[in-house]
Amino acid sequence: DAKTTQPTSMDCAEGRAANLPCNHSTISGNEYVYWYRQIHSQGPQYIIHGLKNNETNEMASLIITEDRKSSTLILPHATLRDTAVYYCIVSPMNYGGSQGNLIFGKGTKLSVKP
Amino acid sequence: DTGVSQNPRHKITKRGQNVTFRCDPISEHNRLYWYRQTLGQGPEFLTYFQNEAQLEKSRLLSDRFSAERPKGSFSTLEIQRTEQGDSAMYLCASSLYEAFFGQGTRLTVV
C-alpha cells in the first residue's frame, strides 16, 4: 500500500501557484519523497524529489517539513497544460543512487482552470 | 535518445491468446521496471530488472506473466492465456537515478 495521503482533487486558477500537499507520517530515514504527474493517457512524468532539504528545478519546488512527515509540491505559475494527476511517493534510494520501486497511490487530480 | 519506448502502443486480443510487449529503455539505464495501470488507479508495480537480472516480482505477477531482459538492454513482457481482467495499460520505466516512464501499451482483451 502507498505510504502517502493526498487530497483526491484540487482546482487552481491559471497563472496562480498550485500547492499540492502530501502526508507521509511513516516515512523512514532512508526514504526520499518523489513527485510524478500523469497527464491523461500518457506515462507518468518525473517532476522532482528530495530527502529533507527543499528542492527547486525548472518544473516545480518541493517543500519538506522539518519532521519530514509532510511535503508540498509547488507549481509557481500553473498553466492549463499542468492539468494532471499528481502522485507523491516515498521510496528509498538504492545503492548506487537509483531510486527504489515506486508504490503509487491514487494521487491528486489537479484541474487548472482559465 | 528520446526516452523510454514501448511497442505496440495499443493491442486488442481475444481471450486466451498470448501477447508480448516490448520496452526499449533509455541508453545506459541499468534498471528497468514494469507496471500495470487500470482505469482510475495509480500504476501498480509488477517487476524490475537490474541489468539482465530480474530482482523482484510483485504478487500481481501471476504465472501467466513472464518478463525478460536479455543482455540487459530491451525487455519483453509476455502474458499467456489472456483474461479480460488483464485489460490495462502496461507501463515500462527505466532508471539510472530517477525513473522515467514510457507512454505505455494499452491492452484490451475481448
Side-chain angles (χ1 to χ4, degrees), chain A residues 34 36 38 41-46 49 87 93-106, chain B residues 9 30-31 33 35 37 40-43 45 48 56 89 91 95-103 106:
Chain A
Y34 290 87
Y36 281 76
Q38 190 170 25
S41 297
Q42 297 185 22
Q45 178 188 21
Y46 167 80
H49 76 280
Y87 296 100
M93 185 74 74
N94 291 301
Y95 178 78
S98 182
Q99 72 183 60
N101 303 332
L102 302 173
I103 308 300
F104 288 80
K106 292 190 176 181
Chain B
R9 291 294 309 278
N30 56 355
R31 285 193 165 217
Y33 311 79
Y35 287 79
Q37 185 173 27
Q41 304 296 317
F45 169 75
Y48 89 87
E56 188 173 342
M89 174 79 84
L91 293 160
S95 75
L96 189 59
Y97 302 107
E98 300 80 43
F100 294 88
F101 284 79
Q103 299 294 2
R106 182 167 296 281

Side-chain angles (χ1 to χ4, degrees), chain A residues 51-70:
Chain A
L51 182 62
K52 54 183 178 181
N53 297 323
N54 297 337
E55 302 287 344
T56 296
N57 63 21
E58 65 278 4
M59 289 184 68
S61 294
L62 174 60
I63 309 297
I64 302 174
T65 58
E66 191 169 345
D67 63 8
R68 302 209 322 126
K69 292 185 177 182
S70 65

Side-chain angles (χ1 to χ4, degrees), chain B residues 29 32 76-77 82 86 88 91-92 96 101 103-104:
Chain B
H29 278 195
L32 187 147
T76 58
L77 178 68
T82 52
D86 297 331
L91 293 160
C92 175
L96 189 59
F101 284 79
Q103 299 294 2

